[in-house]
Amino acid sequence: MAVDAMLQGLVVGFAAEAQEVIQKVTMDLLEIERDGLESEALAKIYVRLGRHLHTLKGSAASLGLQDLSDIAHRLEDALAPVKATTQKMPRGLVDTLLHGLDLFMLRAQAHADGRGEQLPDPASALAQLVADAPAPELAAATRSPSGGAEVTAPAAASPGAAEAAALAMTEALSETAEAGWRVSARQVTALMREVERLREVRLRVEERSRELERVATLLARQGLLAETAEARTLLSGTGRSLRTDGEETSDIVDALEEGLKAITTRPVRTILEPLQRMVRDLSRQLGKEARLSVVGAEVSLDRRLLEKLQGALVHLLRNAVDHGLELPGERELAGKHHEGALTLRVEQQGNLLYLEASDDGRGIDLGAVRRTAEKRGVASADETSRLNDNQVRDLIFRPGFSTRADVTDTSGRGVGLDAVRAAVESLQGRIEVASTPGQGTRFVLTLPVDLGSSPVLVVRALEQLVGLPMLAVEATQLARLEALRVGKRRAHLEYQGQLLPVVNLGARLGLCAPAPPAEGQPLLIVQSGGRRVALAVDAVVGDRDLVIRPLPAEVREVPSWQGAATLSRGELLLILRPDWVVGDSEKTTVGAASRRALVVDDSLTARALHRAMLEAGGFTVHLAASGARALERLQADTYDVVICDLDMEEMDGTQLIAHLRDRKETRALPVILVSAHDSASARERGLQAGADGFLSKRECAAGRLLAEVLDVMSRKGSRV
């Protein structure tokens, strides 16, 4: 059916509106299938369904889309008998309505794309809808002894169709957008970068305002109040103006950022809710029962990220239904509810997205995984015998792995979880799996997101500033001895009726020895993944709204850091991963077999970057901000290598090397000098002083540091 060109814009808008209405109808139909609905609640859903179908019919007719109006009318007719009686809807009728909605949306999308003339006559499809619609008294599903349902109505859609419907639904939401300007992703990204620059300017304005206040205070302390009155008045007025300008700039930045987010993001529910239908159809196809719960569906993310994730989520849920969940009878024999529970949980902390997909099924059989990997040639028997449980579970991500002996529509081809891992890694993320036999399996996807700013709490451990995503900080308080329980190995804090382990941030970072918190020391209650600790810091600097950037590829796998941000004066601030802080509170960074490095640099930024790169190579790293502090460290500890800045105040790198070579204990200690000057003279000066290696800071930023350290240690005979 052709659509008048003048109406085409309205048809595009109608398709987007219809998509939203159909999603609501689909969710209501899936709710109807659940057990335990009261008749009053059922009646309300039927009224809502009728209203939605009537809206679709009327809107389609008003645009001259008679085929769509006829489909909606037939669906109304099919709903009418149960709506009048408030009986529970037969599953066969649910199938009919869902298939009718699929047909409606496919044709609506074709009209929106200008392909209405190519559509076949809907008469045969409408006739099939009528034939499929069962009478309420004849098609009611009966409960089988196992707790499942025996359905005499038409079969559910095939798994492939279920997945296609889920993907098509999310794609339709993207494609049927409201008419407007077309811009490229590159243009939007460039605009976001400019907004970030404006945010940094705002931070600098705030810093200048604080500096003016300090100058005015300093003048007042000089005692020359009369002589400095005019200057202090001018400074005070300028400071007020700067604060006003800063507040206005902040409002502009926030408005721009919110506008960009509205354009470039959408709620996660737009890809998660359509998966409810896929789970339902796939479960019925396999004779199983499953309910999908979604937590955190209102989190908004970059549209491009969501589009790349939807295929991975389809794979994970299909895998959970097919491999994870047991048949209803088997579940009841195991003491479980006949309906399997699937959960998708979404959480964003700073610039990290955590997406968890879990089920309460049979779990992963490690023995079966080993045998299958060997049988399919994924891994040799010798290799599998050396793997621990976590490494065996990771075999399921290998290409060609499948525990299915036969090939079905849903599995057995060895394609699935390897594609999921590839998709996640293409987004610079990672996927982990945990499983308990008989209780279920959990997949956790961790992905970086880089859209907009995030609130960050800046804290200090000794002389080092670090950041924590504010979403992970539940509360802050000062340590009180009466609330602490100090044992031989560790301290605990009484907090809201619980004993939380106290983690010393300096010790966790390898900057100092563990020690219980002192009276009045700041404590942060940090939570992640359902776990909480009390994090002891030396000072809370304050909260900042910062753009968190991923770390360079060479150090992206370092478990402690999730990214870095820039402060108002250009200083680099590393951002801690909350899950690392709470993940193993017993752990310290010092290990008996760990290689130990000392980084000496008066630049906080350089110390932080060198440390991250070395930790990525398995080193335990201690830091010193001066040559004198390094000598103190070397008297108290032993190290395998020293990385030192060439140009430092008071004692430079060549002078530190001279001190080390004078001492018997450190005479043979490998030392690598690093300099901001990439010149032949600087390199010659460093090597003549006795350095074992030399790198420019540009080479360090390019990822050369770890390789140089290992090379020097190998040449010097140190353990590598």
Side-chain angles (χ1 to χ4, degrees), residues 26 91 106 113 162 172 203 222 268 334 358 396 422 461 544 605 647:
T26 299
R91 283 196 168 184
L106 287 172
D113 293 342
L203 291 174
Q222 299 301 313
V268 181
S358 61
I396 65 177
R544 303 284 187 272
T605 300
D647 300 303

Side-chain angles (χ1 to χ4, degrees), residues 29-107:
L29 289 173
L30 296 181
E31 182 65 25
I32 285 172
E33 288 192 317
R34 310 257 163 83
D35 293 330
L37 270 183
E38 300 289 339
S39 58
E40 184 178 349
L42 198 59
K44 288 181 179 178
I45 293 177
Y46 285 158
V47 169
R48 201 159 57 230
L49 288 174
R51 185 168 62 247
H52 287 322
L53 292 175
H54 190 74
T55 298
L56 290 175
K57 181 177 72 173
S59 299
S62 67
L63 291 174
L65 304 175
Q66 193 57 44
D67 58 333
L68 299 183
S69 180
D70 289 344
I71 293 172
H73 183 70
R74 294 298 178 93
L75 296 179
E76 277 189 303
D77 289 344
L79 176 66
V82 292
K83 182 181 176 183
T85 62
T86 66
Q87 297 178 24
K88 183 172 181 180
M89 186 180 294
R91 283 196 168 184
L93 181 54
V94 174
D95 286 336
T96 296
L97 294 175
L98 289 173
H99 298 163
L101 292 171
D102 290 344
L103 176 64
F104 186 100
M105 195 60 229
L106 287 172
R107 296 181 73 93

Side-chain angles (χ1 to χ4, degrees), residues 185-198 256-257 260-261 264-265 302 304 450-452 547 549:
R186 185 177 66 250
Q187 291 171 308
V188 176
T189 301
L191 182 56
M192 285 191 293
R193 297 291 178 265
E194 294 304 311
V195 172
E196 290 166 9
R197 287 182 59 198
L198 185 58
L256 284 171
E257 194 168 86
L260 280 170
K261 283 184 177 179
T264 58
T265 68
D302 188 328
R304 296 165 298 174
D450 59 354
L451 191 61
V547 176
R549 291 289 176 216

Side-chain angles (χ1 to χ4, degrees), residues 115-439:
R115 296 182 288 108
E117 292 180 332
Q118 303 171 21
L119 291 172
D121 189 282
S124 60
L126 290 174
Q128 186 63 41
L129 277 180
V130 174
D132 285 349
E137 66 275 8
L138 296 178
T142 57
R143 175 68 56 189
S144 69
S146 67
E150 295 176 352
V151 182
T152 57
S158 69
E163 294 163 26
L167 293 174
M169 195 171 289
T170 55
E171 289 168 1
L173 281 170
S174 300
E175 294 172 5
T176 57
E178 184 178 342
W181 291 296
R182 288 182 177 272
V183 295
S184 69
R186 185 177 66 250
Q187 291 171 308
V188 176
T189 301
L191 182 56
M192 285 191 293
R193 297 291 178 265
E194 294 304 311
V195 172
E196 290 166 9
R197 287 182 59 198
L198 185 58
R199 182 175 293 280
E200 292 172 1
V201 170
R202 189 208 72 184
L203 291 174
R204 290 200 295 272
V205 169
E206 291 177 351
E207 182 64 26
R208 301 296 178 268
S209 177
R210 287 190 288 268
E211 288 175 353
L212 279 178
E213 290 177 0
R214 287 194 289 270
V215 171
T217 303
L218 184 62
L219 284 175
R221 289 175 179 171
Q222 299 301 313
L224 305 174
L225 298 181
E227 293 88 338
T228 61
E230 184 178 356
R232 285 187 288 109
T233 300
L234 286 172
L235 284 173
S236 179
T238 304
R240 284 194 299 272
S241 298
L242 266 178
R243 283 194 297 275
T244 302
D245 291 345
E247 291 169 0
E248 185 175 356
T249 305
S250 177
D251 292 341
I252 294 171
V253 171
D254 290 342
L256 284 171
E257 194 168 86
E258 287 304 311
L260 280 170
K261 283 184 177 179
I263 294 170
T264 58
T265 68
R266 59 178 177 173
V268 181
R269 62 176 173 78
T270 58
I271 68 166
L272 297 187
E273 288 183 352
L275 300 180
Q276 301 267 10
R277 168 75 184 280
M278 185 207 76
V279 168
R280 180 259 186 196
D281 288 348
L282 182 56
S283 299
R284 291 198 61 192
Q285 174 71 19
L286 298 172
K288 299 180 179 182
E289 296 184 48
R291 175 183 298 201
L292 174 62
S293 302
V294 178
V295 181
E298 293 307 314
V299 173
S300 291
L301 296 174
D302 188 328
R303 294 169 183 264
R304 296 165 298 174
L305 177 64
L306 289 178
E307 289 164 5
K308 292 176 181 177
L309 276 178
Q310 64 187 27
L313 293 177
V314 166
H315 277 307
L316 287 176
L317 289 175
R318 180 186 66 182
N319 194 70
V321 174
D322 190 23
H323 293 279
L325 297 183
E326 310 94 333
L327 291 167
E330 186 182 345
R331 290 180 62 83
E332 290 183 343
L333 288 174
K336 300 180 180 180
H337 192 275
H338 62 82
E339 185 179 62
L342 305 178
T343 303
L344 281 175
R345 185 185 305 274
V346 184
E347 181 182 0
Q348 185 175 349
Q349 292 186 353
N351 69 322
L352 284 185
L353 172 70
Y354 299 94
L355 204 158
E356 178 183 304
S358 61
D359 66 72
D360 68 344
R362 58 174 59 92
I364 297 175
D365 184 338
L366 297 182
V369 171
R370 277 191 171 94
R371 292 190 296 272
T372 301
E374 294 167 13
K375 181 179 178 181
R376 288 182 172 256
V378 173
S380 66
D382 182 57
E383 181 184 355
T384 59
S385 66
R386 296 195 304 269
L387 301 179
N388 60 34
D389 288 353
N390 287 333
Q391 292 169 326
V392 172
R393 276 191 285 270
D394 276 348
L395 290 175
I396 65 177
F397 295 108
R398 298 273 188 95
F401 182 90
S402 175
T403 55
R404 273 274 188 254
D406 55 331
V407 175
T408 68
D409 287 339
T410 58
S411 62
R413 301 182 187 277
V415 178
L417 290 179
D418 62 317
V420 173
R421 169 168 278 182
V424 172
E425 289 179 348
S426 72
L427 297 168
Q428 284 77 53
R430 69 170 186 263
I431 182 169
E432 299 166 294
V433 59
S435 183
T436 303
Q439 297 183 27

Side-chain angles (χ1 to χ4, degrees), residues 504-577:
N504 184 290
L505 180 59
R508 190 80 168 95
L509 293 173
L511 303 175
C512 62
E519 177 78 15
Q521 184 172 355
L523 297 176
L524 313 180
I525 310 302
V526 180
Q527 61 82 26
S528 180
R531 301 181 63 182
R532 294 191 296 183
V533 300
L535 185 68
V537 301
D538 291 317
V540 176
V541 178
D543 60 295
R544 303 284 187 272
D545 212 18
L546 302 173
V547 176
I548 304 175
R549 291 289 176 216
L551 293 172
E554 295 82 7
V555 294
R556 195 163 289 159
E557 296 303 316
V558 178
S560 50
W561 308 108
Q562 72 177 54
T566 305
L567 294 175
S568 57
R569 294 186 177 181
E571 314 100 305
L572 185 74
L573 181 76
L574 289 174
I575 312 298
L576 284 165
R577 287 178 58 118

Side-chain angles (χ1 to χ4, degrees), residues 595-600 614 619-622 634 638-644 660 668-672 692 705 708-710 712-713 716 718-719:
R595 297 168 297 186
R596 297 161 62 84
L598 177 64
V599 172
V600 189
L614 291 167
F619 281 83
T620 293
V621 183
H622 288 179
L634 286 160
T638 59
Y639 297 94
D640 298 296
V641 65
V642 173
I643 295 90
C644 179
L660 297 181
L669 180 63
V671 180
I672 296 172
D692 300 289
L705 179 62
E708 180 73 9
V709 167
L710 294 175
V712 167
M713 290 177 64
K716 294 281 288 188
S718 300
R719 58 195 179 112

